[in-house]
């Protein structure tokens, strides 16, 4: 596993509504092309909105803080995902969040509706269109561009985003890290190749929109057809592998023992409960902003949770039937190890870089501070139940030089 | 609304050759923001805590993309909403106190068996 700490947080998700939620829904980033992100300037207004005494529509223009436009005038609402996400967290941490949980900011299309409405009225030669007509035309344009997204938002929240500004909040979207592979996309298990989102190879510490698709195509079309052939050409004269052979039998016995063990615990808590607890620890201590103390604490908590899992999980049903709970429990067992590895990797990386933001390493203006002199390496981890082992792979840049990005 | 009460009539069948039947569950405390699958998650958590067998159902993306959540709800595939998968169907479209019938899709892998179970045929 390589670079497990690089996690992309997506800024435009539908905010949390309750404990029962299985996942948060991602809204397309294209919405930030036309939507303006804001929170109230005054904490009182934000509190009134949270308590349902006011709505966003009642906050006058002068009392709104379009914080991305203010902080990043050159890029405004189009700053990269990690920057937009952290800025939303900062606003909500300051008590300016606008949903009952306090964890939401507005994404407002009002200005876009007016702008598009005027432009369409102009192209229809309706030079005397009144405000209502302009709005009607503007809503039409927004509907053409984002109709499906607005419909999805309304389905989930029950609120009409053509009238009320949308509420959004960042959520975990993607992990840039993945299975370690070599230059030929082969993992450390000979013959096992990993391509696309499963491996760590293309995105580095961050990832641009739609580039997971790019990686799938690049790995699948341009790399694997050449590298896997080289591997197979050495194997072609090998005799067929015997499924009754000792290697198979050994692995079968190992898998069976794991299943028997997990079914035999017969404890009191469901796999789902452990999964949710793990998720909370990850979000709290290995989320949008991390620090050494939190990461150490998080790792300890996951260790304890793992111990509890292996002594107290309850998996209903039987082994020899379609048993989704057994499948889930086996996955959660893996997640407990992966989660610990993410904490460990984030702790090792004493810098802020891409999808990894360490509070100790930021500029005076709160921007990410990279430390290329010490951390320009890929972290490849070898699992060990007590202390996973880090293998550093140095990053050498021959044709380009490392730069720090700026969106000011 | 966060305390809907529902009566769920769910088709339970132990496997391809077992005899199935409807089992009725009462579920309280349903939030109308829940998706249909999240409502079933809540029921399952309750069943697991009672050490009963949870309801097995297929699901994957839960974002309305993959279409794996194959439930027949009140007689309609994916429920009564048009162009909406079961994971995107929210409980606000049901009434408090409503009885909801939930069945799997008819398929060769799990045929709906109302009569007595029979032995597998040799293929």
């Amino acid at each position: 596993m390589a670079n497990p700490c690089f996690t992309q947080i997506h800024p435009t998700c539908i905010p949390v509504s309750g404990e029962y939620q299985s996942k948060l829904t991602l809204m397309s980033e294209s919405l930030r092309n036309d939507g303006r992100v804001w929170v109230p300037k005054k904490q009182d207004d934000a509190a009134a909105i949270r308590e349902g005494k006011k709505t966003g529509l009642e906050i006058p223009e002068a009392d709104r803080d379009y914080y991305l436009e203010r902080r990043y005038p050159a890029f405004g609402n189009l700053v990269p995902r990690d920057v937009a996400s952290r800025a939303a967290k900062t606003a909500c941490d300051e008590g300016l969040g606008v949903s009952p949980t306090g964890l939401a900011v507005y994404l407002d299309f009002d200005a876009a509706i007016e702008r598009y409405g005027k432009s369409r009225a102009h192209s229809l030669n309706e030079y005397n269109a009144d405000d209502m007509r302009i709005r009607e035309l503007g809503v039409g344009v927004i509907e053409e561009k984002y109709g499906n997204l607005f419909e999805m938002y309304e389905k989930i929240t029950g609120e009409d985003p053509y009238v009320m500004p949308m509420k959004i909040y960042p959520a975990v979207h993607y992990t840039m890290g993945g299975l370690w592979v070599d230059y030929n996309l082969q993992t450390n298990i000979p013959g096992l190749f990993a391509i696309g989102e499963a491996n760590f190879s293309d995105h580095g510490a961050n990832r641009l929109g739609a580039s997971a698709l790019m990686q799938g195509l690049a790995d699948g079309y341009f790399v694997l057809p050449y590298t896997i052939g080289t591997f197979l050409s050495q194997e072609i004269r090998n005799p067929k592998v015997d499924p009754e052979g000792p290697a198979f039998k050994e692995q079968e016995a190992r898998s069976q023992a794991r299943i028997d063990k997990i079914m035999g615990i017969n404890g009191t808590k469901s796999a789902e409960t452990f999964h949710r607890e793990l998720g909370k620890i990850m979000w709290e201590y290995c989320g949008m902003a991390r620090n050494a103390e939190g990461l150490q604490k998080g790792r300890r908590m996951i260790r304890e949770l793992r111990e509890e899992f292996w002594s107290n999980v309850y998996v209903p049903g039987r082994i020899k039937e379609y048993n989704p709970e057994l499948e889930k429990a086996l996955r959660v067992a893996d997640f407990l190890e992966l989660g610990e590895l993410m904490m460990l990797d984030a702790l090792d990386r004493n810098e802020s870089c891409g999808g990894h933001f360490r509070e100790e390493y930021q500029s005076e203006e709160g921007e990410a501070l990279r430390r290329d002199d010490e951390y320009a390496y890929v972290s490849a981890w070898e699992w060990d139940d007590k202390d996973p082992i880090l293998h550093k792979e140095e990053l050498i840049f021959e044709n380009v030089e490392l730069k720090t990005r700026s969106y000011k | 609304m966060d305390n809907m009460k529902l009566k769920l009539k769910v088709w339970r069948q132990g496997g391809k050759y077992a005899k199935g039947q409807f089992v009725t569950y009462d579920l309280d405390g349903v939030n109308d923001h829940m998706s249909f699958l999240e409502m079933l998650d809540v029921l399952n958590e309750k069943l697991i805590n009672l050490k009963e067998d949870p309801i097995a159902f297929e699901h994957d993306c839960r974002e309305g993309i993959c279409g794996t959540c194959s439930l027949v709800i009140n007689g309609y595939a994916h429920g009564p909403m048009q162009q909406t998968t079961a994971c995107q169907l929210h409980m606000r479209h049901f009434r408090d106190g409503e009885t909801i019938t939930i069945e799997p899709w008819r398929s060769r892998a799990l045929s709906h068996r109302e009569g007595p179970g029979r032995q597998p045929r040799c293929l």
Side-chain angles (χ1 to χ4, degrees):
Chain A
M1 188 66 66
N3 289 344
C5 83
F6 293 139
T7 316
Q8 185 166 78
I9 314 275
H10 201 290
T12 50
C13 293
I14 298 177
V16 172
S17 64
E19 282 279 308
Y20 51 80
Q21 278 180 293
S22 47
K23 75 190 286 187
L24 298 176
T25 304
L26 177 79
M27 306 278 290
S28 165
E29 280 274 87
S30 63
L31 290 171
R32 281 199 288 144
N33 285 324
D34 283 312
R36 298 177 73 197
V37 178
W38 66 275
V39 288
K41 275 186 187 160
K42 296 179 195 154
Q43 289 190 345
D44 295 353
D45 281 341
I49 293 171
R50 287 200 292 272
E51 288 158 19
K53 290 176 189 155
K54 270 190 184 177
T55 70
L57 297 174
E58 292 161 62
I59 309 297
E61 201 59 28
D63 290 337
R64 299 177 175 193
D65 180 13
Y66 294 89
Y67 57 83
L68 290 177
E69 297 170 26
R70 172 173 57 78
R71 287 177 61 182
Y72 307 99
F75 284 76
N77 297 296
L78 293 175
V79 290
R81 290 174 177 175
D82 59 317
V83 178
S85 296
R86 278 199 301 279
K89 180 182 189 299
T90 308
C92 293
D93 287 350
E94 286 167 2
L96 299 170
V98 293
S99 71
T101 58
L103 299 177
V105 299
Y106 284 125
L107 181 65
D108 198 326
F109 289 83
D110 216 44
I113 287 172
E114 199 183 320
R115 192 176 72 244
Y116 284 125
K118 278 184 182 159
S119 140
R120 177 133 313 172
H122 195 77
S123 61
L124 293 170
N125 296 330
E126 292 184 26
Y127 300 112
N128 297 319
D130 60 11
D131 287 353
M132 248 173 82
R133 176 64 181 152
I134 285 173
R135 211 181 150 76
E136 185 190 347
L137 290 169
V139 165
V141 178
I142 292 291
E143 199 175 347
E144 285 161 25
K145 292 178 80 144
Y146 308 113
N148 58 339
L149 293 168
F150 275 48
E151 192 188 317
M152 180 171 100
Y153 180 88
E154 189 176 357
K155 247 181 211 166
I156 292 170
T157 64
E159 275 186 15
D160 179 0
Y162 290 104
V163 181
M164 290 296 288
M166 275 184 184
K167 287 179 204 148
I168 53 162
Y169 198 68
V172 173
H173 175 45
Y174 189 89
T175 46
M176 276 67 77
L179 289 173
W180 178 87
V181 287
D182 63 14
Y183 205 65
N184 295 325
L185 303 182
Q186 185 174 226
T187 65
N188 57 319
I189 299 170
L192 181 65
F193 289 75
I195 68 165
E197 300 196 19
N199 74 33
F200 85 104
S201 67
D202 289 0
H203 302 300
N206 217 334
R207 159 185 173 269
L208 303 174
S211 64
L213 185 63
M214 175 284 295
Q215 187 186 10
L217 295 172
D219 290 358
Y221 271 127
F222 306 125
V223 183
L224 202 64
Y226 304 96
T227 62
I228 202 167
T230 311
F231 174 82
L232 290 175
S233 68
Q234 306 297 315
E235 296 286 313
I236 205 150
R237 293 189 195 286
N238 283 353
K240 208 171 160 189
V241 181
D242 177 15
E244 298 298 320
F248 272 93
K249 287 287 171 206
E250 193 189 314
Q251 186 51 45
E252 188 187 0
R254 211 182 299 157
S255 301
Q256 189 62 50
R258 190 171 151 90
I259 290 171
D260 291 342
K261 186 175 173 194
I262 217 163
M263 291 297 290
I265 296 167
N266 207 8
T268 60
K269 275 164 76 171
S270 67
E272 180 70 22
T273 311
F274 284 101
H275 193 188
R276 282 182 189 274
E277 281 180 38
L278 176 64
K280 276 190 187 143
I281 298 172
M282 296 308 295
W283 181 246
E284 184 68 25
Y285 300 107
C286 201
M288 269 190 277
R290 304 145 177 193
N291 62 55
E293 197 188 330
L295 289 164
Q296 276 154 352
K297 186 175 173 193
R299 188 184 175 197
R300 270 200 309 278
M301 288 170 81
I302 294 178
R303 282 259 153 162
E304 286 162 18
L305 192 64
R306 176 146 67 113
E307 254 174 54
E308 196 196 339
F309 177 89
W310 284 106
S311 60
N312 194 28
V313 73
Y314 169 64
V315 185
R318 286 143 294 275
I319 294 172
K320 290 193 172 167
E321 67 179 9
Y322 172 56
N323 188 341
E325 284 298 316
L326 172 59
E327 186 193 335
K328 192 193 289 174
L330 290 166
R331 285 194 187 203
V332 172
D334 289 340
F335 293 163
L336 285 161
E337 293 176 7
L338 179 60
E340 186 183 339
L341 204 59
M342 287 169 77
M343 293 273 180
L344 202 58
D345 190 37
L347 189 59
D348 169 73
R349 194 163 280 279
N350 292 307
E351 64 164 351
S352 294
C353 176
H356 168 63
F357 187 80
R358 280 279 298 269
E359 286 167 350
E360 303 97 315
Y361 304 98
Q362 52 182 312
S363 70
E364 278 173 18
E365 292 144 324
E367 303 299 331
L369 207 61
R370 237 173 43 213
R371 296 174 66 202
D372 296 335
D373 50 336
E374 283 187 64
Y375 291 96
Y377 60 78
V378 166
S379 311
W381 291 90
E382 184 185 333
W383 181 251
D384 176 279
D385 225 31
K386 287 199 176 64
D387 262 311
I389 303 148
L390 173 62
H391 301 270
K392 295 179 185 178
E393 291 187 340
E394 214 179 320
L395 293 169
I396 301 158
F397 297 86
E398 285 169 356
N399 299 312
V400 289
E401 50 181 300
L402 284 167
K403 292 268 198 222
T404 302
R405 54 188 189 154
S406 169
Y407 297 97
K408 295 278 175 196
Chain B
M1 178 157 197
D2 58 7
N3 195 17
M4 290 168 79
K5 287 186 175 57
L6 298 171
K7 206 175 264 297
L8 303 169
K9 263 179 76 182
V10 186
W11 183 262
R12 307 293 314 258
Q13 187 175 327
K16 189 173 179 179
Y17 303 105
K19 181 178 185 286
Q21 74 282 326
F22 277 108
V23 179
T24 305
Y25 300 93
D26 288 305
L27 186 63
D28 298 352
V30 174
N31 184 313
D32 65 355
H33 279 297
M34 284 177 187
S35 74
F36 202 84
L37 303 190
E38 286 165 350
M39 181 274 294
L40 287 179
D41 290 340
V42 171
L43 173 62
N44 274 349
E45 192 64 26
K46 234 174 97 173
L47 293 176
I48 292 170
N49 286 334
L50 294 168
K51 303 227 161 183
E52 288 178 33
D53 278 352
I55 296 158
F57 60 93
E58 300 271 355
H59 58 97
D60 188 40
C61 82
R62 295 202 179 205
E63 285 186 26
I65 300 166
C66 73
T68 307
C69 43
S70 44
L71 297 171
V72 175
I73 301 165
N74 285 344
Y76 292 93
H78 282 293
M81 296 277 290
Q82 287 293 300
Q83 295 182 38
T84 305
T85 52
C87 65
Q88 297 296 298
L89 172 65
H90 287 259
M91 298 314 293
R92 68 180 77 92
H93 300 294
F94 296 88
R95 288 187 321 275
D96 186 23
E98 189 170 339
T99 300
I100 304 173
T101 308
I102 307 167
E103 303 159 80
W105 283 12
R106 308 297 195 270
S107 69
R108 189 172 287 186
L110 181 69
S111 45
H112 212 72
R113 203 163 285 289
E114 292 180 34
R118 67 183 169 94
Q119 287 302 306
R121 259 183 306 177
C122 289
L123 296 172

